[in-house]
């Protein structure tokens, strides 16, 4: 006699290896909304940066704003790994991480772009890790912010914070969170470049590896970040200005 589906508990799903999760998140085919962004490359090119400077630009980005994003994701991972949705202090600690990230991301256009990416990542997180306490905290934070009348977009968590929730849910080691963040940013720029400038597609693949290699010496330091104050504050003012100008254009291929 077949088992009664009304009384038989569903089979326990095996947890994927953290490396498999990292590969999924780094895959451009993941429907998280990253295809609509160029990691600030389109604003740079439209502002006059020569395509020949893209390799150096990618290295510079990996060792400045990439570390801000990575440090934010690491701190969010540590916070959300031990957080419970019913803990009243969790929201305040998460807000502190968001404020630290925002202080290191002066451009409103870049903050808005990150929140849009965060919304896409949160959709992925809710679908793939529905039982995770870390993801539940992120979802509850956004819902609470909306109920309390946060400004348009203000209640949406930025991408690195949502990435931290996913990393906490999947058990990603801090070092891998840093490498994933840097790689994803560089690969986003490389993919966008192929749509913006005609060139051999193998060239930007080499530049992605160079950018990741340049960030490698910072991995252990950034992976050790434990509080919002620890997040690197390495900015890129020219990128901020280009992003603001790009946000005012009506003819653009990527949002940011």
């Amino acid at each position: 006699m077949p088992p009664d589906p009304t009384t038989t508990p569903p089979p326990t799903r095996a947890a994927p290896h953290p490396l498999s999760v990292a590969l999924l998140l780094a895959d451009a085919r993941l429907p998280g909304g990253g295809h609509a962004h160029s990691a600030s490359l389109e604003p740079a090119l439209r502002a006059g940066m020569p395509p020949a400077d893209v390799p150096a630009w990618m290295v510079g980005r990996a060792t400045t704003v990439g570390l801000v994003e990575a440090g934010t994701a690491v701190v969010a991972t540590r916070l959300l790994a031990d957080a419970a949705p019913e803990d009243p202090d969790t929201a305040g600690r998460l807000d502190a991480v968001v404020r630290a990230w925002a202080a290191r991301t002066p451009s409103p256009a870049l903050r808005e772009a990150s929140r849009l990416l965060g919304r896409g990542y949160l959709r992925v997180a809710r679908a793939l890790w529905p039982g995770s306490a870390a993801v539940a905290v992120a979802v509850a934070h956004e819902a609470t912010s909306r109920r309390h009348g946060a400004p348009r977009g203000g209640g949406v968590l930025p991408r690195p914070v949502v990435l931290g929730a996913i990393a906490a849910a999947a058990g990603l080691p801090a070092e891998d969170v840093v490498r994933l963040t840097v790689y994803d940013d560089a690969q986003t720029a490389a993919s966008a470049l192929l749509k913006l400038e005609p060139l051999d597609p193998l060239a930007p693949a080499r530049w992605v590896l160079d950018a990741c290699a340049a960030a490698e010496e910072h991995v252990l330091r950034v992976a050790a970040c434990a509080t919002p104050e620890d997040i690197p504050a390495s900015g890129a003012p020219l990128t901020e200005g280009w992003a603001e100008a790009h946000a005012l254009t009506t003819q653009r291929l990527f949002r940011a």
Side-chain angles (χ1 to χ4, degrees), residues 110-219:
L110 290 181
R111 292 199 300 270
E112 180 183 3
S114 183
R115 291 183 189 279
L116 287 174
L117 284 170
R119 178 175 289 151
Y121 266 66
L122 191 56
R123 178 174 174 267
V124 170
R126 293 178 69 172
L128 300 184
W129 290 275
S132 163
V135 173
V137 169
V139 171
H141 182 279
E142 181 173 341
T144 300
S145 298
R146 288 179 177 176
R147 284 199 303 269
H148 291 175
R152 183 174 179 269
V156 181
L157 292 171
R159 175 187 170 275
V161 175
V162 180
L163 179 58
I166 294 175
L172 283 178
E175 292 88 348
D176 289 348
V177 174
V178 177
R179 293 187 178 102
L180 168 64
T181 306
V182 171
Y183 169 83
D184 183 63
D185 188 82
Q187 186 60 60
T188 297
S191 298
L193 180 62
L194 296 177
K195 298 179 177 67
L196 295 166
E197 297 289 338
L199 76 163
D200 182 351
L202 288 178
R206 174 73 260 174
W207 303 341
V208 169
L209 293 180
D210 290 343
C212 292
E216 188 62 29
E217 66 177 287
H218 305 282
V219 167

